[in-house]
Amino acid sequence: MFDAAIAKRIRLIGFDVDGVLTENDVWIGGVSDHREEFKRFDIQDGFGIRLLRDSAITVAWVTGRVSPSTLLRAGELKVPHVVTVNANNKVPAFGALLSELKIGWDEVAFVGDDIPDMPVMQRVALPIAVANARDEVKAVAKYVTEARGGHGAVRETIDRLLKSRGEFDAAVAKFFAGGETPT
Ligand SMILES: [Mg+2]
């Protein structure tokens, strides 16, 4: 479980994409100038994000790598905020989103796996590293998931966050009461 007081404060959870929502692989193929890219996303992770849709916690994906696959998956899951960072440091773009939403760094959880995630993780209330994160990233995390990125780390984080807030059962009940299909 997370610290209940910190968990209850969280209003936004940010996820890095490659290595967190995926297992870190990008499949690249194509013919001459036609390029295609594939990523594999975990369906149970997707259901976790679906559960958050009706909660008080909003979701942001924060990526340094523009990718149609990422945008397609984010669209399917109706992820409300996708931040594409065109710089080495994710802090300014992510910070701008927080300002826009009037959410403080102390009301944010962030899940990362690699060096570019560290400046954000060092600012948020609940920094989380996935099992496959680099050692430096694990060192700045308050929690390290048992599951690997692309293999349930996101779902593990969301379940734990909702359970630490005492909101998991209500989120599941809300899902069954609704008519929407999970993606
Ligand atoms: Mg990453």
Side-chain angles (χ1 to χ4, degrees), residues 9-172:
R9 219 162 64 210
I10 300 303
R11 294 173 59 204
L12 181 145
I13 182 163
F15 298 100
D16 172 48
V17 176
D18 296 296
V20 171
L21 279 143
T22 76
E23 55 196 348
N24 224 12
D25 290 350
V26 178
W27 297 68
I28 294 173
V31 180
S32 63
D33 62 347
H34 177 71
R35 181 184 184 279
E36 282 200 279
E37 187 176 296
F38 296 91
K39 293 184 185 186
R40 182 194 143 284
F41 291 89
D42 184 282
I43 296 294
Q44 290 188 351
D45 283 353
F47 185 73
I49 287 170
R50 166 68 186 82
L51 279 183
L52 286 183
R53 204 182 293 158
D54 297 323
S55 79
I57 304 165
T58 193
V59 173
W61 287 11
V62 185
T63 178
R65 195 168 184 288
V66 182
S67 157
S69 311
T70 297
L71 296 177
L72 278 171
R73 186 60 179 150
E76 281 182 346
L77 292 173
K78 300 185 174 67
V79 174
H81 309 287
V82 179
V83 181
T84 301
V85 183
N86 297 311
N88 290 340
N89 193 344
K90 293 180 174 178
V91 168
F94 188 56
L97 173 68
L98 298 183
S99 303
E100 186 191 318
L101 299 174
K102 296 186 169 54
I103 292 175
W105 288 99
D106 61 341
E107 299 173 306
V108 172
F110 192 88
V111 189
D113 75 310
D114 210 342
I115 304 287
D117 303 315
M118 288 175 63
V120 167
M121 291 174 67
Q122 285 164 327
R123 280 171 175 77
V124 300
L126 185 53
I128 297 156
V130 291
N132 51 300
R134 306 303 301 171
D135 287 343
E136 296 80 1
V137 179
K138 287 180 180 172
V140 300
K142 281 208 170 93
Y143 176 79
V144 179
T145 63
E146 286 170 26
R148 296 174 59 82
H151 293 276
V154 168
R155 179 60 176 278
E156 179 185 332
T157 303
I158 292 169
D159 283 7
R160 201 169 285 256
L161 183 57
L162 287 171
K163 285 175 184 174
S164 302
R165 292 161 65 98
E167 295 174 357
F168 182 78
D169 292 344
V172 171

